[in-house]
Amino acid sequence: MENLYKSINNHDKYIFERSMNEDKITDILKKYKLTSCQKDFINLILNNAREGFENQKIFTISGIAGSGKSYALGVLTKILNLATQYSFTTGTFTGKASDVLRNKGVDSYTLHSIMYSPNINKHGKITSWKIKNDINEDIIFVDEFGVLDNRLIHDLLKMSKIIVFLGDENQLGAISTDKKIFDYKLEEYIDLRMTTIVRQEEGNPIVHYANQISDNKMPKTGLRIKNDKGAFATFSSKDVDMIEKAKNYCDLIVVGANKMRAKLNEEIRDKKGYTKLVEKGEVMMLLRNCKVTGTFNGQTITILDTGELFEDEYGFKCINVNSDIGEVKISLDVLFDDNYDFNLEVYKNKCLLDDNYIPPLFIRHGTVVTAYKAQGTTCESVLVYTNDMNFMKSKKDGFRKSVYSAVTRASKNCFIVL
């Protein structure tokens, strides 16, 4: 990344010169109470904007849980919109993450919709996606940089735009792809670290203990903390009744390994009386990107209605479902075989070359997910099995980042099994 990163930041062939109304900027900033870190972030971008981003075009901002990154981004985009002629857009890896930002007042879209346009064959069907060459915005803000894979970062860096990456270096990174071609590590290029917790999050037990975990200070068992800002509790593996109540209550359960994920998903489905592989109301997680449908690895969908099992023309075991993203064909092959080989020759060399074929979405049950798969997700109530993450201790910062990433998925209630 270093050569590309430096070449972009030192590139003198394109300078963004846009007018800025300093009086309006001052008036807008007076309306908000910001921490010193939030001010530093806003000023970093505005000061470079005043110089047309001549000296720096790529920025990486890391902020701890509760530091108010999204809030500061909202203030900054309001300034850019009302007091400057700079145009901008904000992108996230998943549609759900965009919804979270929009609920915080930041207009946001998926990076896929911002960056790519479809290739359409003579039959009017999408066969693949290509990078757009007509993006008009000067600045692209990218939230949750930790979940971006190498290919997406590479495409972003080549777009001749101002790119502002925001995220949290303490979270797990993406399971990178294309490492043989390029290996981007944004956490090595941090321009600013936001370490001050905003007043609104002071006293939030989830934020407090998340940042304790980030400092390698694991909480003890037996904690029961609840106030108007959130709830945080810790259990030992012997607290069976409390764990069962949390399992039934939580929107998301995060574990370390796929074996535990499969076990808990099966237990939960049995208790709900599910007999089919996919049932109405279930949350399913997508397991790979699909350029034809524009869906992403890690994206979750909710099943609204299901059809009958059939085998499609390339041998995939499928059902057509109505979901919260519309009518789609999903493959059940992974549900039949947890060690399913995604690199089957039929998938790589045949069906993807068929212009008339729409491949299925590969899915797993999504109530219980691994810490890697949970990234980019925010749920009201989350149960975390840290005792299933001990194997990550063999990796540098693996255990700490796994637990921290899982805990910070919770917006209101977090329960931990130690």
Side-chain angles (χ1 to χ4, degrees), residues 229-242:
K229 295 183 177 180
F232 186 88
T234 57
F235 313 126
S236 77
S237 57
K238 297 179 181 179
D239 295 324
V240 177
D241 290 342
M242 296 300 295

Side-chain angles (χ1 to χ4, degrees), residues 84-323:
T84 82
Q85 290 187 344
Y86 280 99
S87 58
F88 61 89
T89 187
T90 303
T92 64
F93 187 61
T94 66
K96 188 168 186 177
S98 287
D99 286 338
V100 170
L101 274 184
R102 282 194 289 269
N103 290 333
K104 294 180 179 180
V106 179
D107 200 18
S108 178
Y109 308 89
T110 63
L111 285 168
H112 189 273
S113 66
I114 292 171
M115 297 170 58
Y116 303 105
S117 59
N119 288 312
I120 301 175
N121 67 13
K122 60 184 179 181
H123 304 288
K125 292 190 176 182
I126 297 172
T127 58
S128 61
W129 296 80
K130 59 186 176 183
I131 299 177
K132 292 180 181 178
N133 54 15
D134 58 349
I135 298 177
N136 296 320
E137 287 80 9
D138 303 317
I139 306 170
I140 301 177
F141 294 100
V142 182
D143 197 32
E144 295 274 10
F145 66 70
V147 301
L148 306 182
D149 65 20
N150 282 315
R151 171 60 66 180
L152 198 55
I153 295 172
H154 185 77
D155 289 349
L156 275 165
L157 293 177
K158 292 181 68 177
M159 297 188 81
S160 297
K161 301 292 180 181
I162 307 304
I163 310 293
V164 182
F165 293 102
L166 295 101
D168 187 343
E169 63 188 307
N170 295 301
Q171 292 187 11
L172 285 168
I175 300 176
S176 296
T177 56
D178 297 312
K179 275 191 173 183
K180 291 182 179 179
I181 305 173
F182 29 67
D183 188 9
Y184 299 118
K185 297 177 181 177
L186 292 176
E187 66 273 13
E188 295 181 2
Y189 296 89
I190 304 296
D191 294 290
L192 176 67
R193 288 179 170 86
M194 298 174 65
T195 56
T196 303
I197 296 175
V198 298
R199 180 181 56 80
Q200 293 90 336
E201 294 292 355
E202 290 177 354
N204 185 324
I206 299 174
V207 171
H208 172 75
Y209 283 102
N211 289 315
Q212 290 278 302
I213 291 166
S214 176
D215 290 334
N216 272 318
K217 300 174 184 175
M218 288 296 296
K220 298 179 180 179
T221 57
L223 288 175
R224 304 287 190 275
I225 302 170
K226 184 177 181 180
N227 57 35
D228 60 342
K229 295 183 177 180
F232 186 88
T234 57
F235 313 126
S236 77
S237 57
K238 297 179 181 179
D239 295 324
V240 177
D241 290 342
M242 296 300 295
I243 294 171
E244 284 301 312
K245 288 180 180 179
K247 281 165 64 175
N248 294 330
Y249 180 76
C250 288
D251 312 298
L252 180 70
I253 300 172
V254 185
V255 298
N258 277 319
K259 185 177 181 180
M260 184 68 157
R261 172 197 54 74
K263 175 177 177 290
L264 288 179
N265 268 320
E266 185 175 351
E267 288 179 4
I268 291 169
R269 299 188 82 250
D270 285 344
K271 287 183 178 179
K272 290 184 177 181
Y274 292 158
T275 57
K276 299 178 181 178
L277 284 173
V278 177
E279 298 264 3
K280 180 180 178 180
E282 281 199 274
V283 175
M284 311 299 289
M285 178 164 283
L286 308 188
L287 300 178
R288 62 181 301 149
N289 298 339
C290 179
K291 293 182 178 180
V292 175
T293 58
T295 50
F296 287 95
N297 180 7
Q299 183 177 345
T300 56
I301 64 172
T302 300
I303 305 300
L304 304 179
D305 200 6
T306 66
E308 296 298 321
L309 178 66
F310 66 94
E311 191 170 292
D312 76 2
E313 57 264 49
Y314 285 99
F316 295 114
K317 299 179 181 66
C318 301
I319 58 172
N320 291 318
V321 302
N322 185 20
S323 74

Side-chain angles (χ1 to χ4, degrees), residues 353-366:
L353 299 178
D354 185 345
D355 288 348
N356 299 313
Y357 179 70
I358 298 177
L361 305 181
F362 290 90
I363 52 95
R364 277 199 183 112
H365 299 115

